[in-house]
Amino acid sequence: MMHTPVLEEQRRATLARALNLALDKRRQSVAEFPDWEAMRQRAHDIRAGALDRLDEYLNQFERAAAANGIRVVRVATAEEACLYVVAIAKRIGVTTAVKSKSMVTEEIHLNRALETEGIRAMETDLGEYIAQLCGQPPFHLTAPIVHLSRDEVGRILADKLGVPFTNDPTQLTLIARDAMRREFLTARLGISGANFCVAETGSLVLVTNEGNGRMCTTLPAKEGPRVHVAITGIEKVVPALKDVAHLLRLLARSGSGMRLTAYTTLINGPRKRAAGEETTGPDEVHVLLLDNGRRAMLRDPHLREALCCIRCGACSNTCPVYHRIGGHAYQSVYNGPIGSVWSAALWDTEQAATLPFVSSLCGACADICPVKIDIHHALLWQRKLAADRGYTPRWQRLVWWAWRVAMSHPALYGFGSIVARRLFSPAILNRLGKPWTETRDLPPLARKSFHEMWKEEAPK
Amino acid sequence: MNPLRQQFEQRLAQTGGTVAALADLDSLLTGRVFVSAHPVCRSWAARATCQDPREADVALTGCDAMIAETGTVVVFSGPVESRLSTLTAPTHVVLGSEAQLSPDMETVFERFADRLRPGASPASLMFITGPSRTTDIEKTLVLGVHGPKKLVFVFMEDGSGAG
């Protein structure tokens, strides 16, 4: 089992300030809707309904997108997805790609795959850009550098870009903007994820606040073939545009407390090239629909619901464990409460499979989730899966086994309780409870069991 | 004032965008000005001093719809270039009229259902809600990352009439 370090005091304060601010803004914007609970239920029903008929909607999306001129490709694994993107880059002869923030591309480690082939993938979301400059993975689903102070960001930009140090967020943003603008104006390969795929119209929905998503999918370069590749999970499909409208209402509010993300873009296909039609936009649009373990989640009734996730990040913002340890401690692309569910479902490693133990199971995540995913019960289920696969320590399994036997045999339990009360003095208990008992005492065991008290005192 | 317009103006302002009167449009067109070929911009075509939106300080464009609930401007891609002109200039001025207002996004999708059928849809449909923004550094709001720092909306109608 992994041991999770707690963040140092200062960083924890920076993080708490940011997370609490996001929560406050969410609370205010949600208060606009007295029927928020009903809206969550509807959002849940839209997502769960789409998953119930997933193949039907995927086929419909594929047909509609093809009619729009999009090439849709189903990919089973991370390797397959990466190979496809590398092949495009080589075909059109580029050595740089501009990337809009996408968790799926993190999941498949696309940047590494491209770099191996000599292709530089430049992150263009401000937070991701800075995280990439200092070689760190994103800290949070929607706020990749929420743990860094303005001074740290200033030092990173000064170090990596050779600009004079400043810690003014406006100046820092301008510096990054100028560096990226030069790349945008010549980039011919744009890579993005997709927030939703719409079956009815064959559209991709992409939301960004900075406009980098629009840059990466418009590709303003004046010469050469320009290609946009969107990589997304098969679970992102929704039936119709009206469903998107509803989900967007919950997505922005839950994540950042905004009514709508600054740029919400429907991508329907490549630039229409007939004379007198569109002059800007890519020549080709490819959509990769990735499985990579999602169908296995779909088959498990306890994990299926987790596929409803719309990646708002609210569960991390509210999670008491995330507040303490931060995103990097999870050591996984997907972190926080829903990220633990996803990590454990996608990767059969000790590290990922035991992430469900990094939770207090308090249920704050399920309470805030805009699509009503029962996150903590999924985590509980995955603890069982981890134990079944032998990822928990042997002593722990032995203790639970003994507990189960005792609990299902009242006589044995009664006997055990008598023995335990004789045997475990407060001193022994405190020794067993280390290190927790180094600063506090465990309460002593009661002298009489509840059963004994009941026999003596219950009214006849 | 038209209640939809009132809501649109109020919510656009909350995103950091502004609303200007038609009479003040002239004063907004300073520096390198790009004017879209959209019919609504025709009267200002002579004010253009720059043909490429990538190099403009100010871009004047039209739009296809507005959403009152979120203060959003809706733009379709099409024969009139709109993907760059609504994105690359530090100031984006949008012209629109009250008839283009919809209460919410659902209504926009219904109104344009015909143009959104597979095979018939524009390559891109942009929902623009305020200026380009980030809160990535210590949750401090900074406007104008890759898109405009200023978004100004101008109604073709004077808003004082009873709606």
Side-chain angles (χ1 to χ4, degrees):
Chain A
M1 291 250 292
M2 57 174 273
H3 291 279
T4 335
V6 169
L7 286 178
E8 64 265 39
E9 210 64 47
Q10 169 114 40
R11 196 168 302 288
R12 202 195 294 171
T14 308
L15 179 64
R17 240 190 337 268
L19 298 179
N20 289 330
L21 188 66
L23 285 175
D24 283 346
K25 283 162 74 184
R26 175 196 166 274
R27 210 171 291 124
Q28 287 162 20
S29 76
V30 162
E32 248 176 38
F33 294 106
D35 59 342
W36 180 254
E37 282 309 307
M39 289 169 65
R40 287 174 73 209
Q41 187 59 48
R42 207 189 129 206
H44 176 91
D45 295 345
I46 290 170
R47 293 293 294 126
L51 293 171
D52 285 343
R53 294 160 64 188
L54 183 64
D55 283 308
E56 194 180 314
Y57 289 126
L58 283 173
N59 290 336
Q60 191 190 354
F61 170 75
E62 205 169 313
R63 280 194 304 274
N68 285 337
I70 296 180
R71 290 181 219 176
V72 181
V73 186
R74 311 259 183 129
V75 282
T77 62
E79 292 73 33
E80 243 178 88
C82 291
L83 281 176
Y84 190 92
V85 182
V86 168
I88 289 180
K90 290 193 166 166
R91 173 167 61 83
I92 63 171
V94 293
T95 51
T96 302
V98 284
K99 266 189 76 196
S100 180
K101 183 167 161 36
S102 142
M103 290 310 294
V104 172
T105 60
E106 300 280 345
E107 172 188 328
I108 63 174
H109 298 292
L110 178 64
N111 292 7
R112 206 163 60 198
L114 287 169
E115 261 151 47
T116 314
E117 299 290 332
I119 302 146
R120 185 175 64 110
M122 190 181 78
E123 295 293 346
T124 63
D125 170 84
L126 180 64
E128 291 269 353
Y129 175 78
I130 291 162
Q132 189 181 37
L133 280 182
C134 60
Q136 288 188 3
F139 193 89
H140 182 282
L141 268 180
T142 61
I145 54 161
V146 66
H147 61 304
L148 296 181
S149 69
R150 61 183 71 198
D151 289 332
E152 287 172 309
V153 173
R155 277 195 295 274
I156 291 165
L157 287 190
D159 267 12
K160 303 287 175 177
L161 300 181
V163 293
F165 173 84
T166 165
N167 64 2
D168 172 26
T170 304
Q171 289 306 316
L172 291 168
T173 303
L174 275 179
I175 291 166
R177 172 196 194 273
D178 289 344
M180 283 189 261
R181 180 59 68 97
R182 287 193 293 275
E183 305 274 356
F184 276 136
L185 292 179
T186 53
R188 293 198 287 114
L189 178 58
I191 299 169
S192 76
N195 293 84
F196 304 107
C197 301
V198 190
E200 171 189 49
T201 55
S203 315
L204 300 173
V205 182
L206 198 63
V207 307
T208 68
N209 276 312
E210 299 171 6
N212 60 314
R214 286 182 60 193
M215 284 286 192
C216 290
T217 57
T218 301
L219 298 166
K222 288 177 178 166
E223 283 163 7
R226 291 160 301 149
V227 179
H228 166 212
V229 188
I231 306 162
T232 192
I234 50 172
E235 84 284 3
K236 294 281 175 65
V237 71
V238 292
L241 286 175
K242 65 175 193 312
D243 302 322
V244 171
H246 184 73
L247 292 169
L248 286 172
R249 200 169 274 131
L250 285 98
L251 173 62
R253 282 185 170 81
S254 297
S256 61
M258 290 165 67
R259 291 197 181 94
L260 193 61
T261 313
Y263 299 112
T264 300
T265 308
L266 248 64
I267 309 271
N268 296 313
R271 164 171 68 94
K272 293 200 180 321
R273 287 202 270 186
E277 289 205 76
E278 296 169 351
T279 53
T280 42
D283 302 294
E284 297 170 24
V285 176
H286 300 246
V287 177
L288 307 191
L289 296 172
L290 177 74
D291 177 354
N292 207 30
R294 288 164 174 76
R295 287 201 183 266
M297 285 175 78
L298 198 63
R299 283 191 296 270
D300 184 332
H302 298 275
L303 299 181
R304 183 187 182 93
E305 230 182 48
L307 292 167
C308 293
C309 177
I310 56 175
R311 305 273 190 270
C312 69
C315 60
S316 291
N317 296 346
T318 196
C319 176
V321 175
Y322 186 93
H323 271 246
R324 290 270 148 179
I325 67 175
H328 286 161
Y330 293 79
Q331 298 178 41
S332 179
V333 168
Y334 294 112
N335 60 40
I338 192 67
S340 295
V341 178
W342 272 74
S343 300
L346 295 186
W347 295 294
D348 188 14
T349 61
E350 184 182 352
Q351 165 63 28
T354 54
L355 279 180
F357 291 91
V358 187
S359 162
S360 66
L361 300 182
C362 69
C365 47
D367 283 345
I368 206 168
C369 177
V371 291
K372 290 188 88 152
I373 302 171
D374 198 350
I375 300 174
H376 59 304
H377 281 103
L379 288 169
L380 189 59
W381 170 249
Q382 288 177 313
R383 290 185 179 187
K384 177 191 161 4
L385 296 182
D388 289 350
R389 289 181 199 160
Y391 284 128
T392 49
R394 193 186 294 267
W395 66 264
Q396 202 178 73
R397 271 176 284 156
L398 191 72
V399 167
W400 287 117
W401 172 83
W403 176 257
R404 196 182 64 204
V405 171
M407 288 307 280
S408 47
H409 297 85
L412 191 62
Y413 179 85
F415 177 71
S417 143
I418 291 168
V419 172
R421 273 176 283 146
R422 298 273 146 83
L423 216 61
F424 295 135
S425 67
I428 293 178
L429 274 179
N430 281 337
R431 200 172 309 151
L432 287 173
K434 275 181 182 172
W436 201 76
T437 49
E438 273 162 13
T439 52
R440 46 174 95 67
D441 286 333
L442 279 170
L445 292 177
R447 276 194 308 113
K448 285 180 184 171
S449 76
F450 178 75
H451 276 272
E452 288 165 355
M453 283 158 65
W454 184 259
K455 265 186 209 144
E456 287 172 22
E457 293 175 31
K460 295 284 170 327
Chain B
M1 194 192 271
N2 174 338
L4 278 185
R5 173 168 175 175
Q6 201 166 4
Q7 189 182 39
F8 172 79
E9 291 193 355
Q10 176 214 342
R11 300 209 160 171
L12 173 67
Q14 287 168 352
T15 67
T18 50
V19 179
L22 189 61
D24 297 329
L25 177 56
D26 225 44
S27 63
L28 293 167
L29 305 179
T30 53
R32 286 165 296 179
V33 178
F34 173 86
V35 179
S36 148
H38 193 286
V40 77
C41 304
R42 200 160 290 153
S43 320
W44 288 271
R47 299 293 308 274
T49 54
C50 164
Q51 300 310 311
D52 189 339
R54 297 173 189 80
E55 288 149 20
D57 298 313
V58 181
L60 176 68
T61 77
C63 67
D64 292 277
M66 290 93 77
I67 300 174
E69 182 192 333
T70 48
T72 302
V73 173
V74 187
V75 182
F76 287 65
S77 68
V80 172
E81 203 292 316
S82 60
R83 294 176 78 155
L84 290 179
S85 54
T86 58
L87 183 64
T88 48
T91 299
H92 177 202
V93 184
V94 193
L95 277 169
S97 59
E98 288 184 3
Q100 293 175 302
L101 279 163
S102 282
D104 50 32
M105 192 184 279
E106 282 89 341
T107 316
V108 172
F109 287 141
E110 281 163 27
R111 269 169 91 163
F112 293 99
D114 259 8
R115 285 177 67 183
L116 292 168
R117 280 176 294 112
S121 50
S124 175
L125 183 55
M126 295 152 268
F127 294 84
I128 300 169
T129 309
S132 156
R133 56 199 285 137
T134 184
T135 54
D136 273 346
I137 303 171
E138 284 193 8
K139 289 274 158 196
T140 311
L141 177 65
V142 179
L143 300 181
V145 192
H146 301 296
K149 191 184 178 72
K150 277 177 74 181
L151 177 72
V152 187
F153 194 89
V154 179
F155 273 103
M156 298 297 284
E157 304 86 359
D158 149 19
S160 59

